[in-house]
Each structure stands twice: as structure tokens, then as C-alpha cells.
Amino acid sequence: MDGTHRKFLSLRWKIFILLVVVLVGVQGMYAFFSLSQLNEQFRQQREQINESEVARLDGSVEASYQRLLEAAELLPLIDTSQEDQYISPLARLSQTINLKFDAFQLTGSVNAAYLYDSKARMVGFWGEKVHISEADIQRVFDTERPLRKLICNSICLRYVAIPIQLDGKKQGVLMVGRFLYDVIYEIKQQTALDIGLVLQAPEGGGELGNWGLLINSLTNRAQNQELLEQVSLHHRFKPEGGSYVLEHNGHYYEVLFSPLKGVSEGGAYWVILDDISGHLLSIRQSLMNYLLLGVGGILTALILLSLLLQKPISFFTLLAEELSQLSSGEFSQFRHTLAQFRNRDKTLGEDERDLLVKSAVLLSEQLERLQDEVDERTDSLEKSRQALTKERDFLFGLLETAPLVIITQNIKGQLRSVNHFGLQLMDLDVRSLRKANFIDSLQREEERQEFLSHTQRLVEGLESEVRTDSVLLDGVGNRHDLSWLHVRLRNSQGEEPLILSIGMDISDRKRAERRLQWLANHDPLTERPNRLFFMSCMNDAIEKCRGQDSHVAVLFIDLDRFKEVNDSLGHNVGDKLLKVATRRISDCIRDSDLLARQGGDEFSVLLTSVRDLEGAEVVASKILQAFQQPFWIGEYEIVVTVSIGISLFPDHGADGATLIKHADVAMFQAKDSGKNCYYIYDVEKDHQRFERFSLGADLRKAIQNDELLLYYQPQVDAESNRVVGVEALVRWQHPTAGLLPPDRFIPLAEELDLIIPLGEWVLREACQQMQAWIRIGLPKMTMAVNLAGQQIAHERLIKSVEEALADSGLSADCLELEVTENFVIQQPEVTVGKLTYLRERGITLAMDDFGTGYSSLSYLKKLPIDRLKIDRSFVKDIGIDRNDESIIKATLAMCHSLGLEVVAEGVETTEQLNFLRENGCQIIQGYYFSKPLPPEAFMDYICGQKSQA
């Protein structure tokens, strides 16, 4: 026993009290349910009675209209034969009603009568005054339909208006009305309830002033008026009607207000009063009978239960006293005591007591075994405690020696514990630990705010762990970058919440990250910003200049002949040259300006806050001047100049990408102008470059899209004027630019390495066209096709020629290949062997543009050619320039001696033709005979020549 005093209450009393509570609760719920049922039955019964009474009243009102209609129809039928025959029928009827109305009123048949003529004018009225609109009277007269209405202003009056005929003619309208008293008194004769009628009264008027109602009529008024006044004082009025229960003089009354139906003017309510005291008394009597019966049942049940539970309770009491032996470990004694309960009388069979005895015996046996296990477990736990102590000491030593900062702190950052490594790094000792604060050790304000926000989320349970980064300074001022892991420690109820923070020194990693960040924005060779960093700075400078009277200039610098240095002296020398060149450029700009390496041998300079373009030109001139001096790289003296392109914000672009692009374009313009100079961005030349670029892009698709065409210019025999050959000239039908001549795109094709596929296409098309003309009967002639220098040098030349001949079926002697003088003489080792092979195949070879290039006579006699074509630049000056005429004469004489045919290009006049004929030129080509023609037009030209012959 622990010595504390506890209240003891016997089980038998607990069972008794519980049974009493249960039985009383059940009986109370049953009584409440019964009362609810009786009240609901009573409410439904009252609703049926009230509905029945209201329906009876409404039905009586409806029936009374028929009686009024009969009275109205009866009045005009009263005998008027004794009346004056000289007055109108309506006047006679008015006199008759005036004599008879009192009799009708005394019988209660009519309380009001009105007579109107055909114009809705009143002829006479009798009894209660009633206002009827002229429109209603006129409508009754016109439609000959009766009108009935119920008005409830100061009194409730129902009336009917009917059209009347006198002397066989429709004369006017008669209205008769009657109060509702007859309805009330008629119904009163049929029921024991009190009935009344109340009207809406002016504000504050009437007997029921709180409700704004006045009593029009009421049976047993002396008693019932007081009841209605009490109801109006203690209840709120419901405009839609309703029933009210009132206690008065020891009796309960139900008062029903029901709106009167069919009221045209004003408002009225039926009032039905009933004494319901007897009904309520019957309900209360039934409830008392239920309660008395329930109390008797409860007492009987309690007595029977007390007798039945006496022995079991005694058994439980004795068993409870013996259970204390289990707590002292007297298990055998406990089982011996329970043995006497097993021998009790079991005539009626076993019950819960026998099961309890068996369970208690089993419990004592299990407890005995459990005590033995507990003793064994205690010994085991002691051994485990000793092992855990050793493990704790090991972990403590590990934490103290680990190269991690391990601290515990509260949510305010106040330190509670720090390991040895942390004390050294944070320059703390054990004595100052409690005064130190983790937040104070953070160097930056954003680190403090980040720590406080994250720890708040930890405390609120929004995060299970958070990570932060911070910078700590040790005792000697060395910087340490730490990465922290914060977790909330479990705490008992009422204990201060603590946070475990583990910090890892990541200084080496941070240094590596900073190095990587630097490398991402700088060129490692020159240690200058790279293109990415330059673009970022340029965009920032542009944003600062927007809206201000200042400019930003970009210089795009390219080292001239730098590739030759790399190729001849090696990349090591080239890298050193780039470093020295970087220093020279840097010496020419201000500290506020930015120099960056774009890549390779290209640099860019950002000039911020320049006044105008002249300022950028000054810097460019300084750079050009600086590069006039040679570079000494080791033992090598190197002269390298620069080409500079300049663009200016906002004149040449509104953003950084546009400025750098335009500066790059200007730099290429400087290179095209001879290098070693600067060039300011020119929009017109940029458009030309863009047009050239666009044309190059379209040219790549021209062959695939069948945009290339072949035009054919005839080659005519100078003596017979017969067409002996044709030259295929390519044209480009551009989708937007129209038909383009070859000088617009052939140089571009050579530059873009498209001349090979373009030339092969021309060769195939020309061969196929020539073979097609031969099949339809054109005279035999040669098809001349130009070969570009790249085609001749290409390894597919011979194969492509043979494929073109094979695919078209054209004979080799019908094909003539024209090669340019410059390429053949420049690279004879490449061309002679291939041209010789082609000539051996039977193909005619001609040298084009003779006289515009090297014109080497020694090579001319060695080349395997059959024809020589005099360039148009000589032919056009015949008759103008004697020198050109002499050159042509010498060329013709030389060709005759070498056995070569001569073709003169560009012949346009008769004077040119006659000169060439006189000097022995065999073949003429030019506009004199025909311009280049499409295939159909060329066919017409040949047919025209035949017809002339």
C-alpha cells in the first residue's frame, strides 16, 4: 500500500446505482417519446379541425354569392305595372327598390343596393355605402357577365353586380351586397366553436392595436374579445396567419387566425377559438400513468436484481481480498485458497464465477512464470546497460574527435552544447558556452534571417530537416565556409525544444566553386572576361544608358594573319602572342571600359559612357597605332595588325546581341577593305551581306526545288551562217527575286562549295536536252557546257561526265566542255591528265575567256584543247581600240598555226562580224545572231533558220 487514502465503494452498490441510472434513463426516454407522440397526435388533430372549420367558412362564403345573385335577379322582377308609365324603366325600378329595400334589409337578404344606367352613372343607392369603379360597372354592362367581389375596409361586404333588362332592353347594372354576419351565425349554429372576423385597421387602431386589427364580428364577444387582446399582447402577429395557445382563468385556449380568401380590397382574417383544456389534461394524465407504471417496474427490477446478485457479489468480494496475495508473490497460497470455490453447488451449472476461478488460477501460474522471466531479464538488462555505457563512451569520444561542428541550441540560437572541434573553430570555451549565441557567429545578415526562418519551420513541424550555409571566422581570422544540417530533437512535455546542428567545413569546395565560377566567365589564357560575361556587362550598361544622353560603343577586334602565326610558329607562340596583344589593347582603354576575348583571335571592347561615335574612333585609332609596333615572342619578331568593327548604342542597335553582331559585321567590312583599319557599321553594306547570305541559303535549295533553268545561245558558222553549236548557260528562277543571271550566283556557289552539284546538274540537263533535239531531227551540233575550276579539280569530274553521257545516250562528239584559262594554266598538273582523257573519249575541249588571264603560249601548245574562245571584252572594242583589234588578229593567226578553231563571244554588230570574218574567225556567238534562249525558243530559232535556207 502506498499510504494514500482512496474512496472505496462496493461493487454491489456500483451495480445497483448503474442499474437505477439505466432504468430511469430508459423510462425517461420512453416517457419523453410518449409525450412527443401524444403532442404530435394532438397537433395533427387540431390542424385537421382548424382546416375543416376554415374550409366550412370559405365554403359558406362561396355559397352565399349564389344567394346574392338570386336576390339581384329577383329585384328587377318586382311587379311595377301600377307605376307611372311616363317615366323611364330605371326610374320605375328605383322607385320600387326604394319602397321594398327596407323589407329586404329586415330579412337579411340584402344590406346594400346600387343602380347604374348604361353609362355607369349612379341612378340610386340604398343601405351601406360601397365604392365600385365605373370601369367595373361598364365592363358588366358591356360583357353582360355578373361581377362578384369581397371588400373588407371598415366592414366586410360581399356583393354581385349584374346587367338588367327592362321592357326587353338592356337598361343598366344592379349591384346588391351583404355583410358576412350571416355566414358567421350560420356556421355557429353547426359547431360548438366560437367564430369571428377581424379586419386590418389603420395603424394603431382597432381592439387588437398591437396587431393593427379590429374585431368586425365575434360570437360570445364578452369573453372572447379579452382572449384575443391577451393573444395580441403576448404574441407576435403572423401576416400569413397561424394558431396561438393561451392560458386564461385556468383554461387553455387555441386561437386560430386564417386569412379570408378572395378579398379584393383591405384584409380580413377568420378567427376560430376553442377551449383545449380537456385535451391537454388527457395528455398529462396519460403521461402520469406512463411514469407511475415505469417507477413500479424499476422498483420491482431492482429488488429482483438485488436478490439475484447477492451471492455473486459476495464471491467477488472474497476473490478481491485474496488477489492481494499475488502482489506479494504467494502464488501457491493463492491457488490453495481458490480451491474451496471449486467445490460450490453447481446444480444450475457453471457460470462466470467458475470461469473467473479458472482464469485466476491460470493468471497466478503465468505471473509466477513471468516473475522468473523478469528476474532473468533484469540480469540481462544489467549486462546490456554496461555494454551501452561502453558504447556511449565510444560515441562521445567519436563526436569529440570528429572534424565536424556538432552543437545543440534552442530556437533563439543560444548554445547548449558544442563538441571539441566546434569549440576550437568558434573560439569558445566551456565557461563561455552558455553565454554564446549561434546567431552572433553568423557573419552576414541574410545568413541570420535564413537561419531564423528555417528553424521556425522546424519548430512548427513544417520541415523534418533544413540545410543552410554560413561563413565563420576562427580565432586567428581565417575564413571557413560551413554547410549546416539542422534537425529538431525530441523533447518531453514541458522541456525546451532543442535543435541539433551539424556543420561540415566545405571551404575547399567553395574555393573550387569560386574558381569554376571565374572560369565560366573568363578566358583562362588571357584572364580576361569571356563572351558570356561581356554580354552580361554590355546589357547592364545599355540599361543604364536608356533615357540618358550617353552612348555605349562596342569594338570588335580581329588579329590579322594570326592563323599564319599559328600554322608557321606553332600554337605555343600563338598563345603568347594573344597574351601580349591583350595587354596592348588593355593599355589603350580606360579602367571603366571592358576588354573580353570572344574566342580564337577575336576580342571585344565595351566603351561605356562615350559622348558620340568620335570617342569610339579615337580608341580604335589608338589600338591600331599600338599594333604598328612588332611583337617579340621569344626569338621571333612578329608583325600583326588588327581589323576593328565599331557599333554604337542606340544608333546601331537597341540590345547587346544586335550591337555585337553589327560590330562583327563592321569588322569583316574592315577586312574586306584591306585590313589594318577600323570600320563603322554601315547598314547598307550589312543589308548587302545579308542579301548575299539569304541568297546562299536559297541556292542550297534551288537544285532540289527545280529552280535552275538552262538557256541556250547558238554558235554560228561565220561563212555559212549555219548553227554548228550551242552553249548551255544556267539561269536561276528565284521564287521572289525573279530570273537571276549567272554572275549573281555562280561566284556565290563557288564560295559555298555548291558549284560541284550545280555543275553536274547543268551537265546532265544539257546532255539530255541535246539528245532530245537529236531525236526529233535537229541537225548535228555540239553542246558546249562550262566547267568551273573546282569541277576540274574534283575527283568526280570524269565519272560525272561519263554518267551524263550514259544517262542521256548522247554521243561524246556532240559534247564540248569549256574550261577557264586561269585555272588550267595555274594548275596544269591537275587538269592536263583529266582533259587529255576526256579528249581521247571524243569530247571537244575549248578554252574559255582567253586573253583575260595568264595567256601563256607555252602552256597553250601543251594543253589538249580543240577550240579557243576570244573573250567579249576584246570583241566589244572592235572598230574602237586598235590594240584590241591587233590582239584578236594575233590570236587568230596563232590558232590557225596551231590548228585550233576560234569562237568569238559577244558579237553584237555588223562591223564586229565583218572584222572577224575578214581575219578568219570560224565561229560567231553573240546577240548579233541571238541572245540566250529557253529550249522552246531555241527550237523555234533553228526552225526559222531552216525555213530561211
Side-chain angles (χ1 to χ4, degrees), residues 303-432:
I303 293 172
L304 292 175
L305 284 173
S306 298
L307 294 175
L308 182 62
L309 296 176
Q310 181 177 5
K311 288 185 177 181
I313 294 298
S314 299
F315 165 74
F316 292 140
T317 302
L318 293 175
L319 181 60
E321 294 174 352
E322 295 298 328
L323 285 174
S324 61
Q325 295 179 5
L326 295 178
S327 62
S328 59
E330 300 176 359
F331 303 108
S332 300
Q333 182 65 30
F334 176 75
R335 289 194 290 271
H336 178 72
T337 303
L338 290 181
Q340 58 180 320
F341 292 108
R342 297 182 180 178
N343 300 324
R344 69 178 186 85
D345 186 13
K346 300 180 183 178
T347 304
L348 298 178
E350 294 185 351
D351 55 21
E352 287 80 359
R353 290 173 290 176
D354 300 291
L355 295 177
L356 185 58
V357 170
K358 293 179 181 178
S359 299
V361 172
L362 292 175
L363 177 62
S364 66
E365 294 174 350
Q366 292 178 358
L367 288 176
E368 187 174 7
R369 288 193 297 270
L370 181 60
Q371 184 175 15
D372 296 337
E373 293 177 0
V374 168
D375 293 339
E376 294 177 0
R377 187 64 58 85
T378 301
D379 295 338
S380 176
L381 289 176
E382 178 61 25
K383 296 177 181 178
S384 299
R385 185 189 66 81
Q386 295 175 0
L388 288 174
T389 301
K390 293 180 180 179
E391 186 175 353
R392 181 200 61 188
D393 295 339
F394 171 76
L395 290 176
F396 181 78
L398 181 63
L399 293 177
E400 287 298 310
T401 57
L404 299 172
V405 181
I406 304 174
I407 64 176
T408 57
Q409 55 182 318
N410 60 15
I411 59 175
K412 297 180 181 179
Q414 297 171 343
L415 299 181
R416 294 293 179 260
S417 67
V418 182
N419 68 339
H420 181 71
F421 182 80
L423 290 174
Q424 289 181 334
L425 190 62
M426 300 174 71
D427 195 21
L428 297 174
D429 54 34
V430 178
R431 290 173 295 181
S432 60

Side-chain angles (χ1 to χ4, degrees), residues 27-246:
Q27 182 61 29
M29 292 175 61
Y30 176 72
F32 176 77
F33 176 75
S34 300
L35 178 62
S36 300
Q37 290 291 101
L38 292 174
N39 287 334
E40 180 63 21
Q41 293 175 3
F42 176 68
R43 185 187 63 77
Q44 293 177 358
Q45 180 181 3
R46 293 306 308 168
E47 286 181 356
Q48 292 175 359
I49 293 173
N50 292 335
E51 290 175 358
S52 175
E53 293 299 329
V54 171
R56 184 184 299 178
L57 289 169
D58 291 339
S60 180
V61 171
E62 187 69 23
S64 67
Y65 279 111
Q66 185 62 34
R67 294 196 294 270
L68 278 177
L69 183 62
E70 294 173 355
E73 293 173 348
L74 182 62
L75 283 175
L77 299 179
I78 298 176
D79 186 12
T80 58
S81 58
Q82 302 301 322
E83 300 296 335
D84 189 351
Q85 300 296 322
Y86 297 100
I87 62 176
S88 66
L90 284 178
R92 291 199 308 272
L93 179 60
S94 176
Q95 292 176 357
T96 302
I97 294 174
N98 191 41
L99 295 174
K100 302 296 184 178
F101 182 76
D102 291 340
F104 278 103
Q105 191 172 18
L106 288 175
T107 60
S109 301
V110 177
N111 296 107
Y114 283 71
L115 186 61
Y116 300 89
D117 62 10
S118 61
K119 301 298 183 180
R121 293 172 297 193
M122 185 183 297
V123 177
F125 76 91
W126 299 268
E128 187 71 21
K129 290 183 178 181
V130 180
H131 172 71
I132 305 176
S133 66
E134 292 183 3
D136 290 343
I137 298 301
Q138 192 65 47
R139 185 166 62 254
V140 172
F141 182 81
D142 294 338
T143 61
E144 298 184 7
R145 293 183 179 180
L147 171 69
R148 68 178 192 178
K149 280 191 176 182
L150 175 61
I151 56 176
C152 294
N153 293 323
S154 59
I155 192 169
C156 272
L157 178 74
R158 63 194 186 280
Y159 67 84
V160 295
I162 63 172
I164 56 175
Q165 291 187 353
L166 298 175
D167 296 338
K169 295 181 180 180
K170 187 168 61 172
Q171 300 289 341
V173 175
L174 176 63
M175 185 280 289
V176 295
R178 189 175 184 184
F179 300 141
L180 289 181
Y181 299 136
D182 59 324
V183 174
I184 295 174
Y185 293 123
E186 178 184 354
I187 299 302
K188 176 59 180 174
Q189 300 299 322
Q190 304 173 14
T191 181
L193 306 179
D194 286 320
I195 303 172
L197 183 67
V198 295
L199 310 178
Q200 289 183 349
E203 186 175 355
E207 293 87 346
L208 309 180
N210 291 343
W211 288 6
L213 300 176
L214 62 85
I215 300 175
N216 179 257
S217 60
L218 183 64
T219 61
N220 196 9
R221 184 162 186 161
Q223 174 184 345
N224 293 334
Q225 181 173 339
E226 183 180 358
L227 291 176
L228 295 181
E229 292 174 353
Q230 291 294 323
V231 170
S232 67
L233 290 175
H234 296 93
H235 296 276
R236 178 177 295 179
F237 178 65
K238 304 174 185 176
E240 71 277 7
S243 61
Y244 307 88
V245 177
L246 177 69

Side-chain angles (χ1 to χ4, degrees), residues 558-595:
D558 184 82
L559 302 185
D560 301 327
R561 298 178 56 249
F562 178 76
K563 185 175 184 300
E564 296 179 14
V565 175
N566 263 347
D567 294 343
S568 58
L569 302 179
H571 289 276
N572 186 33
V573 175
D575 290 345
K576 293 179 181 180
L577 176 61
L578 287 174
K579 293 181 181 180
V580 179
T582 301
R583 288 196 292 271
R584 284 199 184 181
I585 299 174
S586 182
D587 292 339
C588 297
I589 62 176
R590 302 169 297 180
D591 293 337
S592 59
D593 299 330
L594 179 66
L595 169 63

